[in-house]
Amino acid sequence: MGSKFKNFSLITLGLIAGIGVTMQFDAIAQKTLTAPLPLEELRQLTDVFGLIKTDYVEPVEDKKLLTEAISGMVASLDPHSAYLDKKAFKELKEGTQGKFVGLGIEVGMEDGYVKIISPIEDSPAYRAGLKAGDLITRLDSTPVKGLSLDEAVKKMRGEPNTKITLTIARKNEDKPLVVTVMRQEIRVQSVKSKVVEPGYAWIRVTQFQDRTVEDMASKIAAIYTQEPNLKGLILDLRNDPGGVLPGAIGVAGAFLPKDAAVVSTNGQLESSKQTFYAKREFYASGPGGGDALGKLPDAVKKVPMVVLVNAGSASASEIVAGALQDYKRAVVMGTQSFGKGSVQSVIALPPDKETAVKLTTARYYTPNGRSIQAKGIVPDVMVDEYADGDGLDGFRLHESDLTKHLSNDKDKGANIAKPVVVDQAEEQRVADIEKKRKPLEFGSADDFQLAQALNQLKGLPVKVSKVKPEVRSEGEKDDKPIKEQKQDEKKVDKKIDKKNQKQDEKPKDDKK
């Protein structure tokens, strides 16, 4: 727990997407290079290629060498750029439609083992009892140690209805766990909703897919049929890793003024310098797609809202939260989001266009011009995941922890997220807390953050977190003199204390 994931890559088995990828699928275009080719370096490349062909211990196919060279070149750029072979490209396209074959886990690499970051809700892995933090040490009879993450993932993939046996090392378990999981075609339900109590509704977006806007619009219509005088709405974006950009534009546009700017992008290409608005042409699925938001009741633009985010909210979900926050359309609540503020364009490669490059082509910005990259969305109201206020958010992975992550170009100090340094006793305390807890089901009666969101909408006291995110950079500190900043912090602390005194049985003496 004390150290961040090493050699990080996030892969939904059967869907190579990267964490929080906000994707645009681009047609390939032959672009004219504006700078001369680096002939010396290219000569070195051909020299090494020739040496391998003539001197390596055994013959190597040309295609393998060139494919690996392309893959390494793209992967060296940032954590989200990648070369996609035929199978990976096919699975990526299927994944944006909400279906793929696999186990349904998001994984990374730590100390040579595959580490489960999160099982996807309702997936085979989830039903088999796999948990975040589990280490996969063996795949059937093959030890994981010594395999690359890509090799391990390929072994976990397979045909539908075939089994794989995973050997699991779980913290504070004396013996390894042996779990058999059935590979299945997984259909991710993009939007869930329910009326949590009379007058108040909850909508959860788990991932932004091609049909997310249409699905959400139908859920909202159903809610208003049941509750025509809706008093409050909670939009739940927790653990939403992102997805396709039009989905984010449409979800934000459902609640914003007509034609409002939702997000802008900026990169090297002129085509990457764009602003995206809450208009049908920016979120409709396909050129002939209708306006899914056109028939929504006008009240949805004004109903009081809370948006829930956490460290698993990335990319497209951060676009939505940032836009609603900038327009003061909703109160953002929860813990600091992941901080993935870049756009990946998926570009099919000639000649057959069956392979592709997923390339980071731009950063994105909120309507007020804030860059989320390596910083994330800071909630208006900080609320812990659980009622005991464990402060575990400091142990969650963020974009700024990833090797080669892009910097925040608007705020150079924003990517200086300070790692949490803990001693062995603190690490054990955190492990004990997580071991005792059952997995949190978002939207359930045990969902503490959801309960606090309801309190916010009703004007009741909210139990806020005692832990404050370290998000201010040197640039932000210069906006006000230090004396004024401290006075502002004291005012906030007093407000928090008053709310806690109303909520708790005994007043809390946080200041000594």
Side-chain angles (χ1 to χ4, degrees), residues 57-282:
V57 64
E58 59 186 25
V60 184
E61 292 181 0
D62 292 352
K63 185 175 181 180
K64 174 179 170 58
L65 282 175
L66 293 171
T67 297
E68 293 296 332
I70 294 169
S71 179
M73 178 168 58
V74 179
S76 70
L77 300 172
D78 65 68
H80 308 296
S81 295
Y83 169 75
L84 306 177
D85 61 20
K86 289 182 180 180
K87 186 174 181 180
F89 188 27
K90 179 175 179 288
E91 289 169 345
L92 179 61
K93 289 186 286 188
E94 288 175 350
T96 64
Q97 298 164 2
K99 62 178 183 178
F100 55 89
V101 175
L103 306 183
I105 53 177
E106 298 167 348
V107 297
M109 206 78 175
E110 184 178 279
D111 298 328
Y113 296 109
V114 173
K115 185 164 189 172
I116 296 177
I117 296 168
S118 176
I120 296 173
E121 292 178 41
D122 303 324
S123 68
Y126 184 89
R127 292 191 294 271
L130 298 181
K131 297 181 179 180
D134 286 349
L135 290 178
I136 302 174
T137 61
R138 191 176 288 268
L139 302 167
D140 287 329
S141 59
T142 304
V144 171
K145 201 86 168 180
L147 297 178
S148 68
L149 182 59
D150 186 54
E151 289 169 335
V153 166
K154 285 179 180 178
K155 287 186 176 293
M156 285 186 273
R157 293 187 193 133
E159 295 300 314
N161 301 318
T162 60
K163 295 179 180 179
I164 184 170
T165 300
L166 309 178
T167 304
I168 302 294
R170 183 172 291 168
K171 206 146 195 170
N172 295 334
E173 292 286 348
D174 296 332
K175 297 180 181 180
L177 306 175
V178 179
V179 181
T180 299
V181 186
M182 182 80 75
R183 301 178 181 96
Q184 292 179 357
E185 179 176 280
I186 298 167
R187 292 182 178 270
V188 180
Q189 186 179 351
S190 176
V191 184
K192 302 177 180 180
S193 68
K194 66 178 179 180
V195 174
V196 289
E197 60 180 71
Y200 298 92
W202 170 80
I203 294 178
R204 172 159 170 74
V205 181
T206 60
Q207 180 186 340
F208 290 88
Q209 302 168 357
D210 290 339
R211 284 199 51 82
T212 295
V213 179
E214 289 84 352
D215 291 346
M216 187 192 70
S218 65
K219 298 285 188 185
I220 292 174
I223 287 171
Y224 271 95
T225 299
Q226 183 178 347
E227 292 286 336
N229 298 314
L230 195 65
K231 299 176 184 176
L233 180 65
I234 298 162
L235 178 62
D236 191 347
L237 301 177
R238 291 171 295 176
N239 284 7
D240 181 334
V244 293
L245 183 60
I249 296 167
V251 169
F255 309 106
L256 292 176
K258 185 181 178 182
D259 299 344
V262 175
V263 64
S264 60
T265 60
N266 189 30
Q268 279 201 82
L269 294 172
E270 279 303 313
S271 59
S272 70
K273 304 177 193 301
Q274 295 187 63
T275 300
F276 299 85
Y277 299 90
K279 297 180 179 180
R280 191 203 67 81
E281 56 264 35
F282 290 104

Side-chain angles (χ1 to χ4, degrees), residues 120 143 317 319:
I120 296 173
S317 54
I319 288 175

